[in-house]
Amino acid sequence: MTVGSLGSLEIVTDAAHGGRWTSLNAGGREWLWRREGTGRDEVVPGDAFVDAGGLEECVPTVRGTPDHGDAWSRAWTSGGAGTESVSCEQFSLSRTVGEEGRVDYVLRADPGFRFVWAAHALLELSPRATVRLPEGASTRLYPSANDSWVKGSWPTPDGSRLDRFGPDDGTAVGAVVDADRACVHDDEDRLSFTLEVLGVLEDPGGGAQPVSIALWRNLGGFPDADPYRSTGVEPMLGRVFDLAEAGSGDAAEVPASGEVRWRLIVTAGCNCP
């Protein structure tokens, strides 16, 4: 277990169990939602996804095969100084938790390898919580847990507001928004995510990666049997949940250098567009 202390922000991860973030304490508040009694600690590669909450590193896909990617079910290795890494059949991923809420990532694979990555952060939010993203941003709405997407504009891609989490109403919708930052407001508390692609000067092709923010608003509508509430704000490389559905420009792609670098910045404050 690794603890990254970043002033008023603290991240706790569990390398042995998929590198999952088990705690994100920012501004004196625990932000990550957790679901107990799931058997998450006993999974092995090839198992169906087990939703225990926290923040899962989903790569090379979120939906599809393997469900929620190939990294969440594998043991990661600690390299010290806040660095943890995992090796999968087609790629390796390393993550370094640094100062001021910076979390740096490097994915290495053969040139041309396409992938989607998401910081699958499930947050403990009240019904009053909202999320702020750029007004009018292109949005791909997944009207239910199993549907393909339809296109619209933030914050009302289908005519109803998607920026309010609200009370449980039996619905479950997902969305992917063309944005590089998001700010969650919950009463007086704020939590912000900013995503940056690195290495553009050293490797111009490495900077041409799609960046987005995914949302998961499950207000007691998923799964069909024994549904529960779970709400996610998920910085992404890519524009679709399922890599198999990715068209041109919808997935990140490894350039000639064999690596893609990016940075997630987590802030106990506001970065509203």
Side-chain angles (χ1 to χ4, degrees):
M1 184 173 289
T2 297
V3 179
S5 296
L6 314 169
S8 63
L9 190 147
E10 182 179 78
I11 296 170
V12 180
T13 66
D14 186 351
H17 302 103
R20 175 171 160 257
W21 300 25
T22 57
S23 177
L24 171 57
N25 194 299
R29 164 178 172 160
E30 175 57 56
W31 285 90
L32 294 182
W33 169 82
R34 291 185 292 271
R35 186 164 166 252
E36 305 298 335
T38 62
R40 172 68 176 81
D41 292 352
E42 288 136 32
V43 300
V44 296
D47 283 355
F49 181 65
V50 175
D51 187 6
L55 185 154
E56 301 277 12
E57 303 284 358
C58 294
V59 59
T61 190
V62 182
R63 295 182 181 177
T65 304
D67 188 16
H68 285 70
D70 202 23
W72 74 271
S73 59
R74 297 177 183 270
W76 291 43
T77 301
S78 177
T83 297
E84 294 170 338
S85 60
V86 63
S87 293
C88 300
E89 184 176 345
Q90 294 182 287
F91 66 92
S92 65
L93 178 69
S94 66
R95 173 188 69 203
T96 301
V97 178
E99 298 180 351
E100 298 179 356
R102 292 187 175 92
V103 185
D104 287 345
Y105 293 84
V106 184
L107 183 140
R108 295 182 173 90
D110 291 339
F113 177 72
R114 300 179 82 217
F115 67 95
V116 171
W117 164 85
H120 188 274
L122 295 181
L123 305 179
E124 185 70 57
L125 300 176
S126 77
R128 299 175 299 281
T130 61
V131 60
R132 309 291 177 89
L133 290 155
E135 189 85 15
S138 179
T139 301
R140 296 180 175 187
L141 175 70
Y142 294 75
S144 76
N146 301 310
D147 284 342
S148 296
W149 57 270
V150 294
K151 191 172 182 180
S153 299
W154 182 264
T156 56
D158 65 345
S160 59
R161 299 193 70 91
L162 198 60
D163 56 345
R164 301 169 182 173
F165 288 98
D168 291 359
D169 60 7
T171 64
V173 300
V176 179
V177 184
D178 282 353
D180 62 359
R181 65 187 60 196
C183 183
V184 178
H185 292 222
D186 197 358
D187 293 330
E188 300 304 315
D189 297 326
R190 305 287 184 269
L191 181 71
S192 296
F193 296 106
T194 303
L195 188 57
E196 302 174 351
V197 176
L198 306 176
V200 179
L201 295 179
E202 299 83 355
D203 183 2
Q209 308 294 351
V211 173
S212 59
I213 302 291
L215 300 175
W216 172 240
R217 194 182 70 182
N218 172 26
L219 305 179
F222 178 85
D224 292 337
D226 196 20
Y228 51 86
R229 178 187 179 95
S230 58
T231 50
V233 178
E234 307 171 18
M236 291 182 67
L237 292 185
R239 294 194 180 98
V240 289
F241 286 122
D242 190 342
L243 179 62
E245 297 180 350
S248 177
D250 287 343
E253 184 170 333
V254 176
S257 65
E259 63 180 38
V260 178
R261 296 176 176 266
W262 66 94
R263 173 175 292 158
L264 174 62
I265 302 172
V266 186
T267 308
C270 195
N271 70 351
C272 288

